[in-house]
Amino acid sequence: GAVVSQHPSRVICKSGTSVKIECRSLDFQATTMFWYRQFPKQSLMLMATSNEGSKATYEQGVEKDKFLINHASLTLSTLTVTSAHPEDSSFYICSAGRQGEPQHFGDGTRLSIL
Amino acid sequence: DQQVKQNSPSLSVQEGRISILNCDYTNSMFDYFLWYKKYPAEGPTFLISISSIKDKNEDGRFTVFLNKSAKHLSLHIVPSQPGDSAVYFCAASYNSGNTPLVFGKGTRLSVIA
């Protein structure tokens, strides 16, 4: 069964809207969660590393003020795309891992900004 | 600069035969490698992994081979089944679990009945 749950699976909204995506680890406490983004025909690219109780670490080129990440508990991380624009349309996916085990992924969120 | 490369975007194999998916990497600091399988509209599902201290890991029909000197790994599926048809991603990291993964672009495997 799924060990990482991600919601919503699909969002279609107008330009300028803020969108929140939730990622929950169901079977274990994840001190670290990761947010990736995938554009068509490209690989999954890491956006940020989310650490419980501390600020996220963002990859170069990812705007931290645009992609707000909160990791308030050991089972929940959220990604908020603020004032989304059409170029933010993409497939966003989270993962959770713990030492000695492979990362498990959510089913992703398809974000479409009109 | 892509650190993990899957040079074959697609592969077609007949049912019952062996599927071989290849992956190359450039960063010699990677020490943990994984294969994920992805169906449309779903997240990647972990398939098999290998640590750099090994050169082979087997799990049922799936075997991963690692050639550190060539910075190459491959996934063998035998016998291939129609349900194996999916996109396969190779990923690498510096450690298991709590470090980010670097992914290849994926190879779409089609197993023909």
Side-chain angles (χ1 to χ4, degrees):
Chain A
V3 296
V4 177
S5 173
Q6 186 174 340
H7 293 281
S9 59
R10 184 170 179 91
V11 179
I12 302 172
C13 58
K14 293 181 180 179
S15 184
T17 306
S18 292
V19 178
K20 181 189 273 189
I21 303 169
E22 290 189 349
C23 180
R24 294 181 186 273
S25 62
L26 302 179
D27 293 6
F28 63 96
Q29 293 183 328
T31 54
T32 306
M33 290 186 177
F34 304 93
W35 288 95
Y36 296 84
R37 179 168 55 182
Q38 185 184 25
F39 291 108
K41 299 187 179 180
Q42 299 296 315
S43 59
L44 281 77
M45 298 295 292
L46 179 71
M47 296 177 67
T49 300
S50 169
N51 299 296
E52 188 266 338
S54 65
K55 291 183 179 179
T57 304
Y58 290 82
E59 293 301 294
Q60 193 172 14
V62 178
E63 299 175 56
K64 62 180 181 180
D65 294 329
K66 181 165 189 64
F67 299 99
L68 300 179
I69 291 172
N70 183 273
H71 194 155
S73 75
L74 287 170
T75 59
L76 174 65
S77 177
T78 60
L79 167 67
T80 301
V81 184
T82 62
S83 187
H85 292 286
E87 58 267 27
D88 299 322
S89 299
S90 188
F91 184 68
Y92 294 86
I93 192 164
C94 69
S95 72
R98 50 188 172 181
Q99 195 64 31
E101 293 187 16
Q103 287 178 31
H104 294 280
F105 285 81
D107 280 342
T109 298
R110 173 74 57 194
L111 177 61
S112 300
I113 308 298
L114 305 176
Chain B
D1 178 33
Q2 211 172 352
Q3 297 185 69
V4 177
K5 299 177 184 178
Q6 293 176 257
N7 291 320
S8 298
S10 63
L11 174 68
S12 288
V13 172
Q14 273 208 299
E15 181 180 8
R17 305 295 290 268
I18 185 171
S19 295
I20 300 176
L21 295 98
N22 293 302
C23 178
D24 297 293
Y25 61 96
T26 58
N27 190 334
S28 57
M29 297 301 290
F30 288 139
D31 60 5
Y32 186 61
F33 305 90
L34 309 91
W35 284 95
Y36 284 85
K37 175 180 177 181
K38 186 181 182 301
Y39 294 114
E42 293 183 10
T45 301
F46 170 72
L47 207 54
I48 193 168
S49 65
I50 188 166
S51 164
S52 61
I53 62 173
K54 295 185 176 181
D55 55 18
K56 177 183 174 181
N57 188 26
E58 193 172 350
D59 183 3
R61 296 185 299 115
F62 303 92
T63 303
V64 55
F65 295 92
L66 175 62
N67 182 334
K68 287 195 297 279
S69 61
K71 295 192 181 71
H72 177 84
L73 63 154
S74 60
L75 174 68
H76 292 210
I77 307 173
V78 56
S80 301
Q81 300 173 353
D84 296 330
S85 298
V87 177
Y88 289 78
F89 288 95
C90 170
S93 74
Y94 301 103
N95 205 341
S96 64
N98 280 352
T99 57
L101 298 176
V102 180
F103 283 88
K105 288 187 177 182
T107 297
R108 180 176 301 280
L109 173 65
S110 300
V111 180
I112 305 160

